[in-house]
Amino acid sequence: MLERVWKLLRASDRRERESEERLQDFLSAIQASPNGVMLLDAQGQIEWMNQTAAGHFVLDPVRDHLQRIGHLVRDPEFAEYLASGVPGAGIAIPGPHSTPAHPVRLFVQLHGYGEGRRLLLSRDVTVVEQAEAMRRDFVANVSHEIRTPLTVLAGFVETLQSLDLDEADRRRYLDLMAL
């Protein structure tokens, strides 16, 4: 009988060790994520965060444990988003070290889980937003550069259509348009 109890205890210890190892593997995988991951309780207190989230919000995982995220991240848009409780919707906010010369943009998303708990995901989208701005500027510049010669050509075409020109003048206008 005692041997059977001893076997059950060893099996229970082994299962507990295996569960702890799986949990540590899972936490290591989340720590390795390029995205910030933060777990909030029902009151908005930080239960856990990976290093990426700590870096995004300039927080300390130990010091800021059980602090309310709304007290630590003071951006008005973030506060409004946090209070709205709209799951899955996300917003872009300036990062804590953002300056006009070096803007930093974070995209944050809240997802509910469990009994009122929330998962806060963050991603640095600075490079993506800069690339989008460069694309918009490029398209605007190309559009302007194409429009200018087209306006000149349209003027020549209108002149050719509206004026009674001799063949020499018509040829001269056509040669100018060909350049």
Side-chain angles (χ1 to χ4, degrees), residues 47-112:
E47 292 184 326
W48 184 87
M49 72 180 94
N50 69 357
Q51 288 299 322
T52 306
H56 284 167
F57 297 104
V58 191
L59 300 175
D60 182 285
V62 175
R63 180 195 68 215
D64 297 324
H65 183 250
L66 295 180
Q67 295 296 314
R68 288 183 188 264
I69 188 68
H71 294 166
L72 300 172
V73 179
R74 306 294 294 177
D75 181 78
E77 285 182 74
F78 178 77
E80 186 178 316
Y81 174 63
L82 190 63
S84 76
V86 178
I91 61 165
I93 61 172
H97 292 303
S98 186
T99 65
H102 295 11
V104 175
R105 299 286 291 169
L106 298 175
F107 183 76
V108 295
Q109 256 182 323
L110 281 169
H111 298 277

Side-chain angles (χ1 to χ4, degrees), residues 34-164:
N35 296 318
V37 178
M38 191 180 300
L39 303 179
L40 305 173
D41 68 10
Q43 288 74 41
Q45 294 174 319
I46 300 169
E47 292 184 326
W48 184 87
M49 72 180 94
N50 69 357
Q51 288 299 322
T52 306
H56 284 167
F57 297 104
V58 191
L59 300 175
D60 182 285
V62 175
R63 180 195 68 215
D64 297 324
H65 183 250
L66 295 180
Q67 295 296 314
R68 288 183 188 264
I69 188 68
H71 294 166
L72 300 172
V73 179
R74 306 294 294 177
D75 181 78
E77 285 182 74
F78 178 77
E80 186 178 316
Y81 174 63
L82 190 63
S84 76
V86 178
I91 61 165
I93 61 172
H97 292 303
S98 186
T99 65
H102 295 11
V104 175
R105 299 286 291 169
L106 298 175
F107 183 76
V108 295
Q109 256 182 323
L110 281 169
H111 298 277
Y113 75 99
E115 301 264 335
R117 292 188 160 152
R118 292 183 281 180
L119 172 69
L120 175 67
L121 301 175
S122 60
R123 183 177 55 222
D124 187 336
V125 293
T126 305
V127 173
V128 173
E129 287 193 1
Q130 287 172 342
E132 179 60 22
M134 286 173 46
R135 185 198 64 79
R136 279 191 311 270
D137 290 347
F138 175 77
V139 169
N141 287 338
V142 167
S143 175
H144 174 74
E145 292 300 324
I146 289 173
R147 215 176 288 129
T148 301
L150 288 177
T151 302
V152 171
L153 283 174
F156 276 122
V157 168
E158 187 178 314
T159 300
L160 287 173
Q161 288 175 336
S162 64
L163 295 177
D164 187 24

